[in-house]
Amino acid sequence: MQNQQQGSAGWRGTTILTVRKGNKVVVAGDGQVSLGPTVIKHGARKVRRLAGGKVITGFAGATADAFTLFERLEAKLEQYPDQLMRACVELAKDWRTDRYLRRLEAMMIVADKKDSLVLTGTGDVLSPDSGVMGIGSGGNYALAAASALMDTDYDAEEIARRSMKIAAEICVYTNESLTVETIDLDD
């Protein structure tokens, strides 16, 4: 996945990771918000549930832009219930063609029982081959760590937590204050 450098005002960093393994899909995000070299907040919540808890989303990018996208995705999920892929494709179309949305600086990871996706402002709706995806400044580090751990006996949540810890040790814009949301695929 491509690194995302957020905001023109110098806001940087986050790491969002999704892991799908066995009977779980997990989205994890760190809590650090930085303005240039200064950490502004340690415990931001960048991972949220939508659609009555059926969908987990995580964002990398400008916070106001992310909340706009959360709202738009929620509306699409209401329009297309239990059709995450379709809702995301429709959001990506709007994001790319709408004059206002086109200027939003964010990326999103979205997951439900069936799909794990990355949405970008260029109209991409990407699904991983391997069950893991990472976005944000530490996304590539977390992605590499999770990919290496997929063949272990760890479950999806343990892989996500260990991978986020590794990303936090490498990326100065990522911390170990995690929000982790899980969907049990057996329910």
Side-chain angles (χ1 to χ4, degrees):
M1 294 279 102
Q2 191 175 24
N3 252 357
Q4 171 75 13
Q5 186 173 13
Q6 292 99 20
S8 56
W11 291 97
R12 290 182 179 242
T14 205
T15 301
I16 304 293
L17 176 70
T18 186
V19 178
R20 181 178 291 271
K21 183 179 178 187
N23 65 345
K24 289 183 183 179
V25 61
V26 175
V27 178
D30 80 304
Q32 183 167 309
V33 177
S34 302
L35 177 57
T38 305
V39 176
I40 302 297
K41 186 170 183 171
H42 297 279
R45 195 165 191 279
K46 303 169 196 171
V47 175
R48 301 191 184 275
R49 286 185 175 267
L50 300 176
K54 295 179 185 176
V55 174
I56 307 170
T57 62
F59 73 90
T63 305
D65 294 351
F67 281 109
T68 298
L69 292 170
F70 283 154
E71 289 171 5
R72 296 287 179 118
L73 179 57
E74 185 84 66
K76 294 294 182 187
L77 289 166
E78 288 172 9
Q79 189 176 356
Y80 305 105
D82 299 320
Q83 298 179 62
L84 180 63
M85 179 68 79
R86 177 141 188 219
C88 288
V89 167
E90 294 300 322
L91 176 61
K93 284 184 202 176
D94 291 352
W95 195 351
R96 183 165 183 177
T97 59
D98 183 275
R99 241 181 152 153
Y100 169 72
L101 292 178
R102 247 191 335 238
R103 295 155 76 156
L104 299 182
E105 296 183 21
M107 291 178 76
M108 294 178 73
I109 282 182
V110 184
D112 70 359
K113 284 187 173 194
K114 293 182 290 187
D115 296 303
S116 296
L117 306 167
V118 169
L119 284 70
T120 72
T122 58
D124 295 318
V125 178
L126 307 169
S127 179
D129 291 331
S130 63
V132 297
M133 291 184 295
I135 60 173
S137 58
N140 289 335
Y141 307 121
L143 173 65
S147 296
L149 293 171
M150 286 297 282
D151 290 334
T152 67
D153 291 335
Y154 298 133
D155 70 3
E157 186 171 339
E158 186 65 22
I159 290 171
R161 288 182 182 282
R162 287 175 179 261
S163 300
M164 291 295 289
K165 181 175 177 14
I166 290 168
E169 291 171 356
I170 297 169
C171 178
V172 298
Y173 298 111
T174 301
N175 70 13
E176 292 185 43
S177 177
L178 301 181
T179 301
V180 179
E181 294 285 349
T182 302
I183 295 175
D184 189 341
L185 303 179
D186 293 334
D187 287 343

